[in-house]
Amino acid sequence: MKITLKSILLCATTAAFMLPAVAQTNQTINDRKENQQDRIANGVQSGELTAGETKHLEKKEADLNQEERDMRKLDNGHLTTADKATLNQQQNQLSKNIYNQKHDAQTQNVNPKSEVGQRQRNQQERIAQGVKSGRLTPRETAHLEGREAAIHKEVHNDRAANGGKLTPAEKAQVNRQENRTSRAIYRQKHDAQHR
């Protein structure tokens, strides 16, 4: 009898502690998404995250958001306790990835001296502002950062081939690519999709 009473009390106490956590999970999931996006935006602005790293992180965030939507569809707009636990675990992993990417040796030049470098920095600032304001979704951000990463790689390769400098033709090509990306940033920030 004493064992049964102790078991009942233990179960009741455990359930009482779990109820507030379950009630806060929806809020926590959304809060964590906001927090993750802010951390990524801050990493872009500070130069701790390169365009490639940002693309990778935003793709993971977009995939996680899609998984949450799929889970909700299966349960009439709700998340089960198991779904919440899965999402929390995945958010923990994404949080670690953000930390690791922000603290690795790769950085972006936050004070470029060349016109091309300043243009790239300006694009990164615009993307970071869109992420921070919620006007860019993770999927849109991943796409834009992918474009920026490709331009950065091309500039790097061109400079490596030309002794550290870009030819006038290469500068013109980079400028055309940045113009297209600039228009894409504007369109994505001003469309109907928001985080």
Side-chain angles (χ1 to χ4, degrees), residues 8-26:
I8 291 172
L9 286 175
L10 181 61
C11 288
T13 304
T14 304
F17 282 116
M18 290 184 68
L19 283 176
V22 171
Q24 293 176 351
T25 305
N26 272 346

Side-chain angles (χ1 to χ4, degrees), residues 57-83:
L57 292 170
E58 289 290 359
K59 170 116 178 51
K60 285 185 171 197
E61 183 74 27
D63 291 346
L64 186 57
N65 290 344
Q66 183 61 50
E67 185 173 350
E68 179 187 352
R69 284 190 295 275
D70 293 344
M71 288 174 172
R72 286 182 187 278
K73 279 182 188 176
L74 292 174
D75 292 306
N76 299 323
H78 299 286
L79 293 172
T80 66
T81 304
D83 293 341

